[in-house]
Amino acid sequence: MRVLPPSGPPSTERRPRERTFHGDTFVDDYEWLREKENPEVVAHLEAQNAWTLARQEHLAPLRQTLFDEIKGRTLETDLSVPARDGDWWYYARTVEGQQYPIHARYPAAGPDDWTPRVLEPGQPVPGEQIMLDQNAAAEGHDFFALGSLDVSDDGTRLLYATDTAGDERYTLRVRDLATGEDLPDEVRDTAPGAMFTPDGEHIFYLTVDEAWRPWRVWRHQLGATGSQDTLVFEEPDERFWVGVGLSRSKRYLQIELGSKVTSESWLLESDDPTGEFRVVWPRREGVEYSVEHAVLPGSPARDVLLILHNQDALNFELVTSPVPAPGETVAPRDADVVVPHDPEVRLEGVSASERYLVLYYRREAISRSAVLSLDEPVETGGGPVTWDFQEISFGQPLESVGAGVGVWEQPNLKVGYTSFVTPSSLYMYDVASGERTLLKQQPVLGGYDAGDYDQRREWAVAEDGTRVPISLVWRKDKVRFGGSTGSTSGTGETTGTADAPAEPAPLLLYGYGAYEYSIDPYFSVARLSLLDRGVVFAVAHVRGGGEMGRAWYDDGKLGAKRNTFTDFVACGRHLVATGWTASDRMVADGGSAGGLLVGAATNLAPELFAGVQAGVPFVDALTSMLDPTLPLTVTEWDEWGDPLHDPEVYAYMRSYTPYENVADDASRYPKVLATTSFNDTRVLYVEPAKWVARLQAAGAPAMLKIEMSAGHGGVSGRYSAWEQIAFEHAWTLDVLGLADR
């Protein structure tokens, strides 16, 4: 006889603690759940997990079906397109039944070999050398993640760093690729992003402070012990993160520092790795910039720095400057503007190679790439000059295009393209002719036809009259329209002129809205399981993201943060008002800062959604921002404000943070599923644990699912990830009344 699970969740004991700041006292009943080493806390989390799994037991067959669908659409034994560096072509491959990729390479045929081989999945690769099998490295561990991977210029050594706990602290090792054996060199507790110097004799790596902030750059000489490593750079300002890298030309080592609003770059000639770094442009509060080394053609050729900055240029502009000599810095007044500021175009990056420059930017909520050939001299200085970059487009209204220059000497470009209905595709791009040669498209097994699906853009109107973009994708034969379905291309992409559906459709509304992060059109195999059951997938491009430029971000942070939440609510109400869906047929979805978004939206408009799915949600933001000892807090003050020292910021955050603002009677709240990881260092598990406890105490139908051996990114390994997706999709379909489809 089947035993029914308890009708109610485990009771969470109230242990009131008063928190008083700026004259306001908040009684926190569940702060005791922060005591990670407390056996009572662990027992409580495990009890919540067990209750959630018991309540979802009826969905086990559906979860298995969804897992099988994802697996059945995925070519499990597959390879990436090889990329050349030095004398080798590098690629990753996967094998059916194995969780993780295998990193391998084969030798280049010669100096003019710039066309990758067509590799057949499951077939031997002549000359293949396996550098790192992540499956072997992960053996015996519940969690495994790779944080650094680099090969020395001479191709003889591999640097790699692994995390087996999920806490984002990596152990760095070096492998002799001739023997396959690891060298004695080992450095523990590093951050991601370690790299060899071009001479292959030194490694630069990062370490974090107690708040998990990368703040120190170290130099390790091969063969030396970790205690002999040299501290190269230290950033004491807790707002700044530190990174280290190598210019694409391999001429310069670069240290990059950034807060949420200010940045700074340092350079050192790479042939002098023990020398002193020099600053490019001394930091100025509120000024962000990035640096790329380029060699411009001419007689003679000129070494320059390409500097993308926002000084007096909200959406950034691109300038060139001579490389500063040792002891000098770049004088901003001497820089030559080559791509001026445009209020309608947000410049996001630039890459240089021996033959091309590629500019990355965003216009009309779509990311774009453009290329400039260096076969002929380009002008700088002597008055206004605007470089004529040529945009690369596939002609679709919703698309993501990204051009990559590869290594410095590579003679061609590779261009990545995808959309909500187009599987990820990689092309070889001929700059002179514009001709594209498809190298690989993400395989989708089972007879996928892009023509079966449509995508379009809608616009909602926010409280203050701002138009907010919404992207939608659906399966054509599952959503019936009242009139014309609009102009549709052969790839299933529409111009957005379709009428509204004839009847409300089940809909999953996703949002993020922070850190100027943009949700661009992307294809998802797992999403097909929802679309094929009639679910419309929608993305609310709310303020706080970067889709519409820097002003769009500024209007959704700090004292304007509430716009993020009201934009999301406005998008949901627009989709209901225009007939796309109904409140009892819509689930809200967001993770991390997007978890804060859907949590706040739930408090603002609980009647708008049938369900809310929140992954590693930042729902106890005020408590976290009041504690500067927690990971990320001080660096986050530029994003959310500093409630510890500013009473106005405190009051503003207090008015919207999801945990403090749960209604006393939340019995009419939508169903809530919160997922988290015990070892998450970015959004601590305690935030969703407290939030769910408070929701349950107020009568909301809320559940918590926690991974006890994972970090912020959730479980590791592709099969485990598919199981997690299947769990979440099954819950969503159940809420939408589609569990039997």
Side-chain angles (χ1 to χ4, degrees):
M1 184 177 68
R2 179 172 175 262
V3 178
L4 294 177
S7 59
S11 176
T12 308
E13 184 179 346
R14 296 175 187 261
R15 300 181 185 179
R17 297 182 185 179
E18 289 190 354
R19 185 192 72 197
T20 301
F21 288 91
H22 310 297
D24 176 71
T25 297
F26 174 71
V27 178
D28 193 336
D29 290 328
Y30 305 110
E31 178 63 11
W32 68 274
L33 293 174
R34 189 176 300 277
E35 300 164 10
K36 188 175 182 181
E37 304 303 322
N38 185 341
E40 289 182 282
V41 171
V42 174
H44 171 75
L45 296 175
E46 291 177 339
Q48 285 277 9
N49 228 13
W51 181 74
T52 296
L53 295 175
R55 295 294 296 175
Q56 299 300 295
E57 184 182 0
H58 68 289
L59 297 177
L62 176 58
R63 290 198 296 269
Q64 186 62 52
T65 297
L66 293 168
F67 176 86
D68 291 342
E69 288 176 2
I70 298 170
K71 187 172 182 287
R73 289 189 174 107
T74 303
L75 185 61
E76 297 177 71
T77 298
D78 201 6
L79 309 96
S80 64
V81 175
R84 184 175 169 183
D85 191 0
D87 295 330
W88 296 85
W89 287 91
Y90 294 87
Y91 56 98
R93 58 182 177 85
T94 55
V95 177
E96 183 175 354
Q98 295 185 354
Q99 290 266 31
Y100 302 98
I102 298 167
H103 300 274
R105 64 182 184 176
Y106 67 82
D112 297 325
D113 177 17
W114 288 104
T115 302
R117 292 182 196 165
V118 177
L119 304 182
E120 295 296 333
Q123 298 301 311
V125 178
E128 180 182 70
Q129 181 184 32
I130 293 176
M131 301 185 299
L132 178 67
D133 183 344
Q134 288 188 219
N135 300 284
E139 195 169 333
H141 300 289
D142 293 332
F143 180 91
F144 180 85
L146 198 62
S148 301
L149 190 73
D150 192 28
V151 179
S152 60
D153 264 16
D154 62 7
T156 62
R157 299 186 183 100
L158 174 76
L159 174 160
Y160 68 103
T162 60
D163 166 22
T164 56
D167 61 2
E168 299 185 54
R169 297 208 178 194
Y170 298 82
T171 298
L172 187 155
R173 298 180 176 87
V174 178
R175 177 164 295 178
D176 184 326
L177 290 175
T179 65
E181 300 295 325
D182 286 348
L183 302 178
D185 303 75
E186 182 176 289
V187 185
R188 295 183 179 276
D189 294 330
T190 69
M195 46 158 279
F196 280 114
T197 55
D199 64 10
E201 295 300 317
H202 300 86
I203 293 170
F204 279 79
Y205 66 91
L206 305 164
T207 56
V208 298
D209 62 12
E210 292 183 358
W212 255 257
R213 174 183 67 100
W215 74 307
R216 283 176 169 167
V217 180
W218 299 81
R219 186 180 65 247
H220 170 83
Q221 184 165 5
L222 255 64
T225 64
S227 62
Q228 297 173 301
D229 290 355
T230 301
L231 178 62
V232 173
F233 190 93
E234 179 178 290
E235 175 51 58
D237 190 328
E238 294 178 275
R239 298 175 303 158
F240 284 80
W241 281 36
V242 178
V244 65
L246 183 67
S247 68
R248 196 176 303 275
S249 65
K250 298 186 178 179
R251 290 267 298 277
Y252 296 97
L253 297 163
Q254 296 179 252
I255 294 175
E256 298 176 338
L257 300 91
S259 72
K260 293 291 186 296
V261 297
T262 307
S263 56
E264 186 175 73
S265 293
W266 295 64
L267 293 181
L268 172 65
E269 282 70 15
S270 61
D271 60 3
D272 181 25
T274 61
E276 295 292 325
F277 282 83
R278 59 188 182 277
V279 67
V280 174
W281 217 350
R283 72 184 70 171
R284 284 155 291 172
E285 185 69 18
V287 175
E288 300 168 66
Y289 72 95
S290 60
V291 173
E292 178 85 347
H293 171 242
V295 179
L296 301 184
S299 299
R302 292 173 293 154
D303 280 291
V304 300
L305 297 182
L306 305 176
I307 302 175
L308 197 71
H309 74 89
N310 69 340
Q311 181 175 343
D312 302 320
L314 181 66
N315 272 340
F316 290 70
E317 68 179 9
L318 181 65
V319 303
T320 68
S321 172
V323 180
E328 296 182 353
T329 61
V330 169
R333 64 181 178 275
D334 296 333
D336 297 320
V337 178
V338 292
V339 179
H341 175 261
D342 185 334
E344 303 300 322
V345 178
R346 167 67 161 96
L347 301 183
E348 295 187 320
V350 63
S351 293
S353 74
E354 192 173 53
R355 296 184 58 182
Y356 308 109
L357 304 179
V358 176
L359 187 68
Y360 307 99
Y361 53 100
R362 185 173 298 280
R363 186 180 68 248
E364 298 171 340
I366 296 293
S367 63
R368 306 170 192 270
S369 296
V371 61
L372 177 70
S373 174
L374 296 180
D375 288 342
E376 300 292 336
V378 293
E379 290 185 72
T380 59
V385 174
T386 300
W387 285 353
D388 186 20
F389 284 84
Q390 299 300 307
E391 184 168 297
I392 304 169
S393 173
F394 286 74
Q396 303 301 335
L398 293 180
E399 63 180 18
S400 297
V401 179
V405 298
V407 295
W408 180 255
E409 64 273 20
Q410 183 171 307
N412 44 40
L413 287 178
K414 291 179 181 177
V415 176
Y417 165 68
T418 188
S419 75
F420 285 112
V421 301
T422 309
S424 298
S425 308
L426 185 65
Y427 291 82
M428 191 76 78
Y429 182 75
D430 185 293
V431 175
S433 67
E435 182 180 354
R436 303 163 183 148
T437 303
L438 181 64
L439 297 174
K440 185 180 181 67
Q441 186 173 76
Q442 175 188 358
V444 184
L445 306 183
Y448 173 75
D449 184 351
D452 292 338
Y453 304 84
D454 257 340
Q455 60 176 6
R456 67 177 285 187
R457 172 67 50 78
E458 288 264 348
W459 295 85
V461 179
E463 282 186 348
D464 60 2
T466 300
R467 297 176 74 238
V468 182
I470 308 171
S471 296
L472 300 106
V473 58
W474 66 94
R475 183 172 173 119
K476 291 180 182 179
D477 61 358
K478 298 293 184 179
V479 180
R480 187 169 60 88
F481 288 83
S484 167
T485 57
S487 175
T488 306
S489 72
T491 61
E493 300 177 352
T494 76
T495 60
T497 59
D499 293 339
E503 58 185 27
L507 186 143
L508 180 65
L509 180 62
Y510 178 81
Y512 188 74
Y515 306 112
E516 204 177 1
Y517 182 78
S518 301
I519 310 298
D520 291 318
Y522 68 100
F523 183 80
S524 166
V525 165
R527 187 197 300 138
L528 295 177
S529 291
L530 297 179
L531 302 183
D532 288 353
R533 288 170 171 81
V535 178
V536 175
F537 178 75
V539 178
H541 302 285
V542 296
R543 281 176 283 185
E547 286 90 344
M548 300 285 284
R550 174 50 66 89
W552 196 253
Y553 169 50
D554 289 342
D555 285 347
K557 64 183 289 194
L558 297 173
K561 188 62 199 173
R562 188 175 180 274
N563 288 334
T564 303
F565 317 132
T566 55
D567 282 1
F568 191 78
V569 171
C571 288
R573 287 178 173 155
H574 171 86
L575 293 169
V576 171
T578 54
W580 275 100
T581 190
S583 293
D584 62 353
R585 308 210 74 192
M586 180 163 54
V587 169
D589 182 16
S592 197
L596 165 64
L597 165 63
V598 297
T602 301
N603 288 336
L604 288 174
E607 78 291 343
L608 186 57
F609 308 104
V612 172
Q613 183 175 297
V616 290
F618 187 41
V619 283
D620 194 18
L622 180 55
T623 304
S624 294
M625 290 298 101
L626 286 167
D627 187 350
T629 68
L630 291 178
L632 309 182
T633 291
V634 175
T635 63
E636 295 285 293
W637 282 344
D638 285 331
E639 178 78 19
W640 310 99
D642 175 5
L644 180 62
H645 302 101
D646 189 327
E648 292 186 5
V649 172
Y650 175 89
Y652 188 67
M653 291 191 71
R654 178 74 170 79
S655 73
Y656 71 69
T657 44
Y659 177 62
E660 287 90 342
N661 288 284
V662 171
D664 292 337
D665 179 4
S667 58
R668 295 187 179 181
Y669 270 41
K671 295 177 180 178
V672 174
L673 172 65
T675 58
T676 187
S677 299
F678 194 52
N679 293 327
D680 193 339
T681 59
R682 296 175 184 265
V683 178
L684 302 185
Y685 75 89
V686 68
E687 297 204 23
K690 288 172 57 178
W691 182 52
V692 168
R694 187 172 172 87
L695 285 167
Q696 290 172 343
M703 295 188 295
L704 177 71
K705 183 177 184 291
I706 182 169
E707 296 294 336
M708 300 304 288
S709 299
H712 192 62
V715 294
S716 65
R718 56 178 177 164
Y719 295 106
S720 298
W722 296 346
E723 289 174 351
Q724 177 67 17
I725 293 170
F727 185 93
E728 294 168 1
H729 280 5
W731 181 86
T732 296
L733 291 168
D734 191 36
V735 172
L736 294 173
L738 302 174
D740 57 347
R741 296 192 187 181

